[in-house]
Amino acid sequence: MAEFRMPSLGADMEAGKLVEWLVKPGDRVKRGDIVAVVETQKGAIEIEIFETGRIEQILVGLNTEVPVGTPLARIQTELEATAGTAAAAPPPSAPAVPIAAPPSMPAPVAPSPPPPSPPAPPPPPVAPAAARARVSPAARRLAGLHAIDLATVTGSGPAGAIVYADVERRLGAPVAQAEKKRAPGLDLDAMRTAIAAAMARSKREIPHYYLEHQVDVTASEQWLARINAARPPDGRLLIGALMIRSVALAARRFPTFNGFYRDGKFEPSRAVHVGVAIAIRGGGLAAPALHDADQVPLDELMARMRDLVQRTRSGRIRSSEISDPTITVTSLGERGVETLYGIIYPPQVAIAGFGRVVTRPWVVDGAIGPRSVVSITLSADHRVSDGHAGALFLAEIGRLLQEPDKL
Amino acid sequence: MNDSDIRKVIKEELNNIAPEVDLAAIDPAADLREALDIDSMDFLNFVTAIHHRLGVDIPELDYPKLITLDGAAAYLAAHLGPARK
């Protein structure tokens, strides 16, 4: 018997509120399935399961806030099912670390010890049919605010998803303008608190050093223009995809910038999961991971980046995406500043920053001409690396951007 | 499609990207990237959505022509072709 627990979605998370079950007792699940939605300071997060088997019992009902590590459901794993031992097996005593967590997930700094499993709680009421409908976080918030049962709302969104306007219609009255102006589904004040806590910890604990490197990206721009000219809009690439890809490849070559600093030592990561800092309308920020960004072809990376940005902005990030980036890329590229220095998101050890691409007089082959130039920065953890390695890392990113056709 | 139909489509798609912005209050000659705070990913999604809805392919070179509401409406009117008007 395995327990599915409230995961830790970053060092700063203490508790989460379970707002949606996508499974019910008896359902079969496999590793990676999304089984629940949890509301955190970072917004609604889709929680994936890391076991394969059958849901035995749901332990936490809807709209319940529980600390990280609390068992949410019991799962009869495949192994047990074949051995025929599962049904009667008692739940194991609660370990201090969430066992349902992926191995590479950052551990909480000081996890509050999970409460003992409730003694044989009655199965909480779940309404699987209603819970199965896709509901936008904004719609859920609004419904919660007015105690509307989502089962009574007809969805008009994609695949029948319930969107904000549907709940509004069900309410029969326009809602207050103030509520409407909020970014969808996200409590931006709570998010600001979470960002502040993580960044304060970063500045307190991580001895940052900062480097900047100016790179001519004319070749990348010309290559993109050529490629995109022959493609319909949904197949086009953005320079951001090239930037992420080049950081991912450089991180694979320089593992000292890719991994976690935990318990007083650096744990490099073999996998390269690039966190992408995504601005949320209205003033929030999240940096979910593009998994294995060094492995997937550029077109797929771009498609996944589009999907990730869209889901992040609509408040549908998955738990693995928020918990396992190994290095982060941040960019304020399009308006505004030419150079930015990121703050490392603990327990990561590096963040690469891209400024705006600007046209500059630049010397190429002994002659001055207009070129597209971007500033790439590195903020890195001095406990793990130093400026010499950082300079090589930045130079590698710049070199990769000179040969976009090889990315 | 007449101009007002086209503007309706444009506004619907912009509303999907920036749901909290009151599009009626946007100056039709203002740069949408600034007025709506949209980035290149948003703009690509906007162009993709227009492409899917109206069948107008919008090459990257033409992006600058669509950065205002007026510009986008005029561009689409010109490229929808007589059959669709």
Side-chain angles (χ1 to χ4, degrees):
Chain A
M1 185 76 58
E3 280 179 338
F4 168 59
R5 292 162 180 270
M6 176 63 73
S8 167
L9 306 167
D12 44 348
M13 171 172 162
E14 289 175 358
K17 181 174 168 189
L18 203 130
V19 293
E20 186 172 348
W21 275 111
L22 299 159
V23 294
K24 58 184 187 309
D27 282 358
R28 297 202 57 80
V29 291
K30 60 177 194 306
R31 187 184 161 84
D33 281 355
I34 295 162
V35 297
V37 178
V38 166
E39 237 169 48
T40 72
Q41 288 175 309
K42 294 173 172 139
I45 312 275
E46 297 182 332
I47 307 295
E48 295 147 284
I49 198 157
F50 293 90
E51 307 279 350
T52 296
R54 186 186 300 274
I55 301 288
E56 182 80 12
Q57 191 182 13
I58 300 246
L59 301 172
V60 171
L62 295 183
N63 298 316
T64 313
E65 177 157 329
V66 294
V68 166
T70 305
L72 301 174
R74 276 206 283 275
I75 300 134
Q76 180 183 355
T77 60
E78 237 163 29
L79 208 64
E80 293 163 343
T82 47
T85 59
S93 57
V97 179
I99 54 171
S104 64
M105 190 169 88
V109 219
S112 34
S117 309
V126 285
R132 271 168 186 286
R134 302 278 288 186
V135 184
S136 86
R140 190 190 317 284
R141 262 178 65 90
L142 184 63
L145 212 60
H146 296 272
I148 301 261
D149 181 356
L150 285 167
T152 66
V153 180
T154 313
S156 69
I162 296 171
V163 299
Y164 193 91
D166 299 327
V167 180
E168 249 185 338
R169 252 196 305 282
R170 170 74 175 66
L171 276 170
V175 286
Q177 198 66 9
E179 180 67 23
K180 229 176 175 174
K181 286 286 174 193
R182 301 202 72 126
L186 295 162
D187 183 340
L188 294 180
D189 292 337
M191 182 176 265
R192 178 62 45 202
T193 306
I195 293 168
M199 294 301 102
R201 181 185 158 205
S202 177
K203 288 274 181 170
R204 194 167 57 238
E205 294 177 5
I206 302 177
H208 288 64
Y209 67 86
Y210 307 95
L211 305 172
E212 189 210 356
H213 184 43
Q214 300 241 344
V215 171
D216 177 353
V217 289
T218 310
S220 284
E221 285 200 328
Q222 288 172 346
W223 182 82
L224 278 174
R226 200 171 65 243
I227 293 284
N228 287 342
R231 295 182 173 198
D234 48 11
R236 288 178 196 161
L237 301 171
L238 294 173
I239 197 163
L242 301 186
M243 292 166 171
I244 288 167
R245 177 84 174 146
S246 60
V247 170
L249 293 176
R252 188 168 69 191
R253 187 167 160 198
F254 294 90
T256 181
F257 301 99
N258 186 61
F260 309 109
Y261 190 90
R262 279 195 289 237
D263 302 325
K265 66 179 201 309
F266 176 56
E267 302 161 15
S269 167
R270 243 196 303 267
V272 180
H273 302 319
V274 177
V276 185
I278 297 170
I280 291 168
R281 304 192 65 79
L285 179 68
L290 279 173
H291 291 135
D292 301 308
D294 60 327
Q295 303 286 343
V296 297
L298 196 57
D299 283 330
E300 191 188 331
L301 192 70
M302 176 67 199
R304 282 166 42 180
M305 189 170 119
R306 276 177 98 146
D307 174 58
L308 190 65
V309 169
Q310 195 197 5
R311 281 189 295 109
T312 301
R313 289 186 174 154
S314 61
R316 294 299 289 205
I317 314 181
R318 293 183 192 132
S319 50
S320 63
E321 290 165 344
I322 206 70
S323 57
D324 68 6
T326 57
I327 182 171
T328 295
V329 170
T330 179
S331 159
L332 290 175
E334 293 161 27
R335 285 186 298 279
V337 302
E338 290 180 25
T339 308
L340 82 153
Y341 291 98
I343 303 168
I344 301 166
Y345 187 59
Q348 294 168 46
V349 297
I351 181 168
F354 288 84
R356 181 157 58 103
V357 178
V358 290
T359 307
R360 282 271 174 277
W362 206 252
V363 178
V364 181
D365 297 331
I368 295 174
R371 304 289 284 185
S372 295
V373 176
V374 70
S375 138
I376 313 175
T377 62
L378 174 72
S379 309
D381 187 336
H382 235 322
R383 296 171 300 186
V384 179
S385 65
D386 53 35
H388 178 73
L392 295 176
F393 178 64
L394 276 181
E396 174 72 359
I397 297 170
R399 193 190 63 74
L400 288 161
L401 285 170
Q402 304 312 306
E403 299 183 306
D405 50 324
K406 294 186 184 159
L407 283 173
Chain B
M1 285 185 99
N2 62 29
D3 181 66
S4 110
D5 295 336
I6 292 174
R7 281 174 196 265
K8 186 161 171 282
V9 170
I10 293 170
K11 285 186 179 176
E12 278 171 18
E13 294 306 335
L14 289 175
N15 187 57
N16 287 339
I17 291 165
E20 80 288 9
V21 176
D22 180 6
L23 286 165
I26 298 271
D27 176 355
D31 185 326
L32 290 171
R33 293 168 302 183
E34 278 164 29
L36 274 63
D37 191 19
I38 57 181
D39 60 16
S40 60
M41 180 71 82
D42 292 325
F43 197 78
L44 178 57
N45 286 332
F46 169 65
V47 168
T48 303
I50 293 288
H51 173 68
H52 283 245
R53 279 189 69 170
L54 302 180
V56 177
D57 190 18
I58 304 163
E60 266 189 352
L61 286 173
D62 288 344
Y63 283 5
K65 296 177 185 163
L66 286 99
I67 59 172
T68 66
L69 268 177
D70 282 345
Y75 182 90
L76 293 175
H79 287 78
L80 271 167
R84 281 176 171 266
K85 279 177 188 168

